[in-house]
Amino acid sequence: MRAGIGSDLHRLVPGRRLMIGGIEIPSSRGEDAHSDGDVLLHAITDAVLGASADGDIGAMFPDTLPETEGMSSLTMLSLAIERTGSRIVNIDSTVTLEKPKLRPYIPEIRRSIAECAGIPISAVSVKAKTAEGLGEIGRGEAVSAEAVVLIEEQ
Ligand code: MG
């Protein structure tokens, strides 16, 4: 068994989709990014790569490559899992977003991540919090996510 940790932060801008865990959340602002900007999937992908001591998402999917432009972060996560050659045991994560409230979408987000990782929904935890109005996240200018992943080497 090996554990990995990942975190990510994206600027929120008008005219972009807000993607969280492979689900589009209705919002007037979304992540500014080269890919689809899914902050939660990026944190989980980094945790997967971290668990196998295999670099990070920026090294695996450079934003200078045309192939990664607009890329689905679900694809990034599944490619990272495939690369480790390991089985995911469980994922725990937290998203910090001022608005909209994520709670109603959490079951759908967990299902999406579980399906991508090929594990039961009971092995995927997603928690949501706000920044209590403080800092760039509190002003609705950014969204962040943190994740811990346990992998079992085959
Ligand atoms: Mg990112």
Side-chain angles (χ1 to χ4, degrees), residues 98-121:
E98 204 64 20
K99 61 177 185 184
K101 289 275 180 261
L102 277 186
R103 184 149 309 161
Y105 304 101
I106 283 185
E108 201 182 341
I109 292 169
R110 290 176 64 208
R111 203 174 309 120
S112 162
I113 295 166
E115 195 174 301
C116 180
I119 56 177
I121 193 168

Side-chain angles (χ1 to χ4, degrees), residues 48-59:
V48 167
L49 293 172
S52 55
D54 192 15
D56 62 28
I57 193 171

Side-chain angles (χ1 to χ4, degrees), residues 41-153:
L41 291 180
H42 291 183
I44 294 170
T45 300
D46 251 355
V48 167
L49 293 172
S52 55
D54 192 15
D56 62 28
I57 193 171
M60 190 169 174
F61 304 102
D63 63 9
T64 48
L65 290 183
E67 302 92 279
T68 58
E69 186 163 1
M71 193 182 207
S72 161
S73 299
L74 287 167
T75 304
M76 292 182 176
L77 176 58
S78 58
L79 288 172
I81 293 170
E82 194 180 304
R83 176 157 147 160
T84 67
S86 300
R87 189 180 70 85
I88 305 293
V89 178
N90 78 300
I91 298 169
D92 186 19
S93 64
T94 302
V95 179
T96 308
L97 175 69
E98 204 64 20
K99 61 177 185 184
K101 289 275 180 261
L102 277 186
R103 184 149 309 161
Y105 304 101
I106 283 185
E108 201 182 341
I109 292 169
R110 290 176 64 208
R111 203 174 309 120
S112 162
I113 295 166
E115 195 174 301
C116 180
I119 56 177
I121 193 168
S122 59
V124 179
S125 160
V126 177
K127 308 182 298 296
K129 61 195 296 181
T130 72
E132 301 276 337
L134 296 170
E136 66 271 27
I137 296 175
R139 289 191 298 270
E141 295 167 5
V143 56
S144 72
E146 295 168 318
V148 171
V149 170
L150 190 67
I151 65 171
E152 183 175 31
E153 292 179 309

